[in-house]
Amino acid sequence: MQLQILSAQNLPSSSSPLTQRFFVKVELLSEGKVLLKRKTKVMKSSEGQIQWGEVLHLPITNQDQNLQLAVKLYGRGSVRRKHLLGQVLLGFDSSSTEAVEQWRDSMANPEKVVTSWHRVSRL
């Protein structure tokens, strides 16, 4: 499976004169255990938005039924400390019906391109 991280919007602005940077980390989960991690490049936001356009390759087939993807948005300040801003869980038992439908469609039709915006849940 290929997961393309296109962009993020409505990002928080930094109160310090130093710019905050952002990245997305994707974790492939099975029964709550992390099997694989991938992340995007760290980038600066411009007017609360970032354009990544990165493709992350994940070894998932449509036979893998018990998997979930945790897509997490992080901010990183000048001290290199990362802060989790929110996440979206993609899988059959996701809390969002849209995420469940997207996952079901991706598993049933792995060659199909599924494009969707998701609102990250704040933690």
Side-chain angles (χ1 to χ4, degrees):
M1 174 186 280
Q2 295 180 20
L3 177 67
Q4 186 172 23
I5 308 296
L6 296 173
S7 62
Q9 58 189 18
N10 302 321
L11 294 168
S13 58
S14 175
S15 58
S16 75
L18 300 170
T19 58
Q20 190 173 16
R21 297 170 186 266
F22 300 89
F23 65 95
V24 174
K25 183 194 286 187
V26 177
E27 295 176 347
L28 178 62
L29 306 169
S30 176
E31 299 176 9
K33 295 181 182 177
V34 177
L35 301 178
L36 182 73
K37 295 180 187 179
R38 298 277 190 264
K39 73 177 194 175
T40 64
K41 292 181 282 194
V42 178
M43 297 183 70
K44 293 182 206 174
S45 69
S46 172
E47 298 177 14
Q49 296 185 357
I50 295 178
Q51 301 292 325
W52 276 286
E54 287 189 45
V55 176
L56 305 175
H57 299 277
L58 304 163
I60 300 174
T61 68
N62 57 355
Q63 276 73 42
D64 295 326
Q65 297 295 318
N66 296 329
L67 298 179
Q68 273 189 320
L69 289 180
V71 182
K72 300 178 179 186
L73 176 64
Y74 285 91
R76 188 163 75 186
S78 60
V79 228
R80 297 191 51 89
R81 286 199 176 141
K82 64 182 181 182
H83 303 282
L84 179 60
L85 301 174
Q87 71 177 357
V88 173
L89 287 175
L90 300 176
F92 289 119
D93 54 353
S94 178
S95 61
S96 160
T97 56
E98 183 181 347
V100 171
E101 287 303 314
Q102 179 182 357
W103 188 258
R104 186 173 288 129
D105 197 20
S106 297
M107 291 292 101
N109 306 296
E111 71 287 345
K112 181 179 176 185
V113 175
V114 180
T115 304
S116 182
W117 280 97
H118 290 282
R119 180 178 303 274
V120 296
S121 59
R122 300 201 185 264
L123 301 172

